[in-house]
Amino acid sequence: MTVETAEDRSNLWFIQSKFREYYWGSIDEIDAPSDMERREFGFFTFNKKPVRHKSFKTIGQLRDFIKVLVPSDAYYSSAYYQKPDAETMGEKNWMGADLIFDVDCDHLPTTCKAEHDEWRCTVCGRFGRGRPPTRCPECGGERLKADMWICDKCLEATKQELLKLICILEEDFGISDREMFAVFSGHRGYHLHVESDTVKSMSSIERKEVVDYVTATGLNPVYHGVTMSERPLIGPSPADIGWGGRLARAIYTLALKTPQELKEAGVDGRLAKMIENNRGRIIEAWERGGVWASLREFAGPKTLERILSKALTFMAASVDTVVTTDIHRLIRLPTTLHGKTGLKVIAMPIHKLAAFEPLRDAIAFTEGDILVKVYKAPKIRLGGHSYGPFLDEEAVLPSAVAIFLICRNKASPL
């Protein structure tokens, strides 16, 4: 929460009191992370003061600390240390770290951003919807203030990215679902934790190699079975393992998409039109095993490169490189609350991810209504019901919705 005025401070005290109610009533739901005595714990207070270098021997100690502190956000280290409460990294004696991936809807080109995200140039006042440009189109300034929102659509897109990542890790790295679990962050996306002796000792550079592989960064189709110079074109089979087979399956999947789905997948208009005009031929060729030969019939070298580039983008997982390569990362503690939404951080086994709906299953405040003044807010769907959009109005809202809006500086309790 932004705290600049007396009203902001009042809102902060209100939210802190609600978080205290939650932690005093639900503290037993917080579980210890594996090997917790080797983990560092960190917190942010509601005054944005960091509290770091904490360690706990038992889950009871951790729960008691959270009940007293009532943090706005709570974290634990992906790393294991000999002395997790030491105040410098050198003194902690790093012993290894889980492999963590962060998938965030901010980085995904979902069409819903044009409906609920806004930006404003702080120099000339130019306003726009959707993802903010690099520079203001009016004055060329770079001081753009973005107001990002979340909805079912962008969070679903984030989940699909995570499922792609899990598929690559299982198929290409041999990591089993027993070695992974997913975590809804309570806000914009998901984390994937890989807890395995195989990954613990990996360096930052080795983790960067994994990121480059799952994001297809620098991947050249030529080294995965596509012989661009041959006529007819020769390529991998959809049944092949690794990126070769993934490329072949991506082209078939693109051919099945509607024009709207191609647009949502980021396919430009000309390429989408070409795919649409040749959809029947691509599908027929794929079914008889000759998809690569058929592509050469209607796609020249440049068009073919664009198709392969889009196929890579379509099958790659969009992850935050910084999070994965940081071997000292503090990551959100499951079942605590996210200070920007009031939603719960939820951990789950991989097999439950597909059915998980964050704006239904991560609600912490399920009882009572709150009268609020809402300044301006896009539509939000929580608990299976839609609320808003709002503009300078009073409303009696379910607690989860009111707390979400107050945490986002969109409303104040009355």
Side-chain angles (χ1 to χ4, degrees):
M1 293 180 64
T2 303
V3 182
E4 298 176 349
T5 66
E7 188 175 36
D8 291 338
R9 285 191 288 276
S10 175
N11 291 351
L12 184 144
W13 279 107
F14 179 83
I15 291 299
Q16 188 173 11
S17 71
K18 291 298 180 183
F19 275 41
R20 180 177 293 106
E21 287 177 17
Y22 168 79
Y23 284 126
W24 279 76
S26 306
I27 197 66
D28 290 343
E29 294 181 14
I30 296 177
D31 289 326
S34 64
D35 213 357
M36 73 172 292
E37 66 274 16
R38 296 293 185 192
R39 309 274 194 174
E40 177 196 354
F41 289 79
F43 307 89
F44 271 107
T45 69
F46 276 87
N47 292 321
K48 293 303 176 189
K49 180 182 176 184
V51 180
R52 288 202 58 175
H53 311 304
K54 297 295 180 184
S55 70
F56 304 96
K57 300 295 183 187
T58 68
I59 183 61
Q61 291 176 350
L62 172 62
R63 290 169 177 169
D64 288 344
F65 186 88
I66 290 175
K67 284 177 69 176
V68 172
L69 182 68
V70 187
S72 65
D73 302 273
Y75 306 85
Y76 72 102
S77 66
S78 61
Y80 305 84
Y81 302 104
Q82 287 183 347
K83 298 178 180 178
D85 55 350
E87 295 194 355
T88 67
M89 288 300 169
E91 292 174 320
K92 289 180 188 294
N93 293 330
W94 188 83
M95 300 171 66
D98 301 329
L99 185 61
I100 306 292
F101 297 91
D102 178 38
V103 183
D104 199 323
C105 65
D106 281 5
H107 306 296
L108 303 179
T110 54
T111 56
C112 56
K113 285 182 168 55
E115 301 169 11
H116 56 58
D117 286 0
E118 297 178 353
W119 58 268
R120 184 178 298 278
C121 176
T122 60
V123 177
C124 70
R126 174 71 181 265
F127 167 88
R129 288 192 173 278
R131 303 179 76 179
T134 306
R135 292 176 177 273
C136 174
E138 188 71 30
C139 69
E142 297 180 353
R143 295 165 59 186
L144 304 176
K145 185 176 182 180
D147 188 4
M148 320 286 270
W149 202 245
I150 57 174
C151 72
D152 287 322
K153 196 168 186 177
C154 46
L155 288 176
E156 176 62 24
T158 310
K159 184 167 70 176
Q160 293 306 316
E161 286 297 310
L162 191 69
L163 289 168
K164 282 196 293 184
L165 170 64
I166 292 168
C167 185
I168 295 172
L169 293 177
E170 287 181 329
E171 291 181 356
D172 297 13
F173 289 83
I175 298 173
S176 74
D177 59 358
R178 297 186 303 278
E179 298 172 298
M180 297 185 278
F181 64 93
V183 177
F184 171 60
S185 71
H187 193 197
R188 301 185 191 281
Y190 294 84
H191 303 142
L192 183 72
H193 295 232
V194 180
E195 291 191 1
S196 166
D197 290 339
T198 306
V199 304
K200 276 184 181 175
S201 62
M202 290 174 66
S203 67
S204 291
I205 294 174
E206 290 169 326
R207 291 164 197 253
K208 177 65 166 56
E209 291 290 327
V210 175
V211 170
D212 286 349
Y213 186 87
V214 301
T215 57
T217 300
L219 189 147
N220 188 338
V222 170
Y223 298 121
H224 293 267
V226 181
T227 52
M228 303 282 284
S229 59
E230 297 292 333
R231 198 173 184 88
L233 187 67
I234 297 174
S237 162
D240 286 352
I241 61 172
W243 272 107
R246 202 167 283 120
L247 270 173
R249 295 193 295 274
I251 290 171
Y252 179 70
T253 304
L254 282 172
L256 293 178
K257 288 190 174 296
T258 66
Q260 179 62 26
E261 289 172 331
L262 289 172
K263 180 182 177 182
E264 292 177 354
V267 178
D268 67 65
R270 288 180 60 192
L271 185 56
K273 189 71 176 177
M274 190 280 293
I275 292 174
E276 186 179 358
N277 289 342
N278 294 280
R279 175 174 288 118
R281 296 167 66 187
I282 296 173
I283 294 173
E284 181 184 351
W286 195 90
E287 290 174 347
R288 68 170 189 269
V291 62
W292 296 103
S294 73
L295 277 179
R296 189 57 113 191
E297 294 175 12
F298 56 83
K302 289 188 176 179
T303 301
L304 186 59
E305 286 181 8
R306 290 165 60 208
I307 292 174
L308 290 171
S309 174
K310 187 51 63 181
L312 286 175
T313 303
F314 186 65
M315 298 302 279
S318 177
V319 304
D320 186 333
T321 302
V322 174
V323 172
T324 302
T325 57
D326 184 353
I327 59 174
H328 302 286
R329 192 76 181 182
L330 290 179
I331 201 81
R332 287 189 177 274
L333 180 64
T335 325
T336 58
L337 299 178
H338 195 297
K340 291 184 178 178
T341 63
L343 295 174
K344 282 193 288 190
V345 179
I346 300 285
M348 70 201 83
I350 299 305
H351 71 271
K352 290 191 175 181
L353 180 60
F356 179 74
E357 293 188 21
L359 299 184
R360 179 197 65 191
D361 301 330
I363 291 176
F365 301 96
T366 57
E367 297 182 359
D369 297 326
I370 299 173
L371 173 62
V372 292
K373 170 68 180 293
V374 189
Y375 311 114
K376 181 182 179 184
K379 182 169 70 175
I380 179 67
R381 183 173 176 81
L382 276 178
H385 301 280
S386 296
Y387 305 90
F390 301 95
L391 182 61
D392 286 327
E393 57 190 284
E394 295 181 4
V396 176
L397 297 172
S399 294
V401 182
I403 289 170
F404 179 91
L405 293 172
I406 297 169
C407 285
R408 298 299 308 271
N409 292 311
K410 300 294 185 185
S412 295
L414 295 175

